[in-house]
Amino acid sequence: MNIHASSSNPSTIFGNDLSGPTDYGFTQRTAELFRSHRAADIDHHHSPGRVVRVDRNRVLVAAQNGMLHLPYPMQGELPATGDWVWLGHNSAGESAVVEVLPRYSALSRKRAFEASSEEQVLGSNIDIVAVVVPVDRPLTHNRLERTLVAAWDSGATPLVVITKADLADLADDVVGEVMRQAAGVEVVTTSAEHGDGLDELLQHIPAGSTLVFLGPSGAGKSTLINALIGHEVQQTGAVRAGDGKGKHTTTSRELVPLPGGAVLMDTPGVRGFGLFDADNGMEEMFGDLDELFARCRFADCAHQAEPGCAVQEALAEESLDPRRWASYLKLQRELAALNRKHDAAARRAYQREWHQKVVSAERGQRAVERYKHDQAEERAARSGKRRKR
């Protein structure tokens, strides 16, 4: 077992002196979290810690007196980067994670493979989710929207950080486009190479808070982290000129202390971001559409060809961007498909609905065929009468 320091701290008690790793975001609010979630078997031999990194079969945990490399807990929820944990000892007397505290925020996505409906927690107990947008490649609107939806839904505050502003002559245009796309979200423009925008970015990260950078490979996250810290702690790699893609210079999610007392979580480049249970985030990101829905003539309007549809009117008047509407529909279909995978009852209801539609369509088709047949017979009868005359 690789133990850098002992987790036992005799001075750690459950009164006002409860202490933990301040370099990794332990504050008075965190102390209250530990006091309010203390199991019956937690005593003065236990101390607070925070998960800095999750490896294949161990977790790196920051304790008050140093770092511990510990095995996964034997029971309970698996830890994620950013989790607050109680540290103690297992039955063999070895340092161990004995309990994972409830998360006050969690950034999640659907696991990357298509057939999965499972949640992947990228990071927990985050205060700010910074969506990184580099200006040296085309802006992907749908990606930005879905990432902001996940950021809102995490319980943290979203922030858009534009990087590499010194590399593109069209930086102002990109900034303007992002600000329109991310209405209601603060946007900070940075150039890590020149040091531009770093002070403004730091103003959004108060002491004791945790910030996560989220963006594609080659977006400049590692370079920005090095600039914020003041020395190189993350490797940086070149970006291919042909497609603007970079190598995964960051290979795991890890907490990094900042000089001002805040904590930064770096993440590997995320190629795809499948939404997971993001109703709150959708409401924050597409609240203007909810206002349109309320103005439709019918409460159950499908927003397609119904009379008095406010959405279709807005599209016709060009006050609603067709691309934004298409993005909303795509995200809603994705969430509905995920819900069907999760909820067997919803899946059965979905199947029944489609069965009823098929049956109704078949009945309608038979009715049409009977009507055509009756009409043909009636015409034939009239024709026969005319010939007899």
Side-chain angles (χ1 to χ4, degrees), residues 62-134:
Q64 184 184 11
N65 296 329
M67 290 291 186
L68 303 169
H69 216 188
L70 305 174
Y72 283 6
M74 296 297 293
Q75 56 187 4
E77 189 168 11
L78 290 178
T81 302
D83 274 338
W84 290 105
V85 297
W86 277 113
L87 297 172
H89 297 85
N90 58 23
S91 57
E94 301 169 321
S95 297
V97 173
V98 296
E99 185 178 341
V100 178
L101 268 63
R103 299 158 180 159
Y104 60 78
S105 69
L107 179 65
S108 302
R109 70 169 179 175
K110 184 179 79 67
R111 288 196 177 275
F113 51 95
E114 187 67 27
S116 173
S117 62
E118 297 179 1
E119 178 183 19
Q120 179 186 19
V121 179
L122 301 180
S124 66
N125 302 314
I126 299 164
D127 300 289
I128 306 107
V129 175
V131 181
V132 179
V133 179

Side-chain angles (χ1 to χ4, degrees), residues 27 81 135 193 204 219 228 233 330 334 344 350-351:
T27 62
T81 302
V135 300
E193 294 293 335
H204 290 274
L228 289 172
V233 295
K330 181 178 180 180
E334 184 177 322
Y350 178 80
Q351 292 168 346

Side-chain angles (χ1 to χ4, degrees), residues 119-155:
E119 178 183 19
Q120 179 186 19
V121 179
L122 301 180
S124 66
N125 302 314
I126 299 164
D127 300 289
I128 306 107
V129 175
V131 181
V132 179
V133 179
V135 300
D136 62 344
R137 66 185 72 177
L139 177 64
T140 306
H141 296 280
N142 182 262
R143 183 192 184 103
L144 176 60
E145 284 175 342
R146 72 169 50 240
T147 309
L148 286 172
V149 166
W152 279 117
D153 203 65
S154 71

Side-chain angles (χ1 to χ4, degrees), residues 7 11 60 89 112 141 173 186 371:
S7 67
S11 65
L60 182 65
H89 297 85
H141 296 280
D173 294 338
E186 294 282 345
Y371 175 80

Side-chain angles (χ1 to χ4, degrees), residues 54-328:
V54 177
D55 297 326
R56 187 175 299 275
N57 57 4
R58 287 180 174 268
V59 291
L60 182 65
V61 181
Q64 184 184 11
N65 296 329
M67 290 291 186
L68 303 169
H69 216 188
L70 305 174
Y72 283 6
M74 296 297 293
Q75 56 187 4
E77 189 168 11
L78 290 178
T81 302
D83 274 338
W84 290 105
V85 297
W86 277 113
L87 297 172
H89 297 85
N90 58 23
S91 57
E94 301 169 321
S95 297
V97 173
V98 296
E99 185 178 341
V100 178
L101 268 63
R103 299 158 180 159
Y104 60 78
S105 69
L107 179 65
S108 302
R109 70 169 179 175
K110 184 179 79 67
R111 288 196 177 275
F113 51 95
E114 187 67 27
S116 173
S117 62
E118 297 179 1
E119 178 183 19
Q120 179 186 19
V121 179
L122 301 180
S124 66
N125 302 314
I126 299 164
D127 300 289
I128 306 107
V129 175
V131 181
V132 179
V133 179
V135 300
D136 62 344
R137 66 185 72 177
L139 177 64
T140 306
H141 296 280
N142 182 262
R143 183 192 184 103
L144 176 60
E145 284 175 342
R146 72 169 50 240
T147 309
L148 286 172
V149 166
W152 279 117
D153 203 65
S154 71
T157 301
L159 175 70
V160 176
V161 177
I162 297 177
T163 58
K164 307 183 182 182
D166 56 294
L167 298 182
D169 296 332
L170 300 176
D172 290 342
D173 294 338
V174 173
V175 173
E177 197 172 355
V178 168
M179 291 181 72
R180 287 191 297 273
Q181 193 75 22
V185 178
E186 294 282 345
V187 178
V188 178
T189 304
T190 65
S191 168
E193 294 293 335
H194 295 170
D196 297 335
L198 299 185
D199 290 340
E200 182 183 356
L201 177 56
L202 287 171
Q203 291 175 7
H204 290 274
I205 319 171
S209 64
T210 299
L211 165 83
V212 60
F213 279 145
L214 200 62
S217 299
K221 301 189 301 298
S222 295
T223 303
L224 187 56
I225 288 173
N226 292 337
L228 289 172
I229 293 176
H231 61 274
E232 185 168 337
V233 295
Q234 299 286 347
Q235 288 185 333
T236 59
V239 177
R240 295 197 298 258
D243 56 10
K245 293 182 179 179
K247 296 180 180 178
H248 288 280
T249 54
T250 304
T251 56
S252 62
R253 286 169 283 278
E254 183 169 355
L255 298 183
V256 181
L258 291 176
V263 183
L264 190 148
M265 184 188 298
D266 192 16
T267 61
V270 180
R271 290 190 178 93
F273 207 103
L275 295 181
F276 185 89
D277 188 21
D279 289 343
N280 293 335
M282 290 290 287
E283 183 177 348
E284 291 285 355
M285 195 63 199
F286 294 98
D288 57 323
L289 295 182
D290 287 336
E291 295 178 5
L292 278 179
F293 300 158
R295 284 160 37 194
C296 290
R297 182 183 302 176
F298 301 108
D300 60 348
C301 183
H303 316 299
Q304 294 178 356
E306 293 85 353
C309 175
V311 172
Q312 293 302 319
E313 291 176 4
L315 289 170
E317 296 169 357
E318 299 184 353
S319 58
L320 173 60
D321 183 0
R323 187 216 56 78
R324 179 173 170 77
W325 175 240
S327 177
Y328 171 84

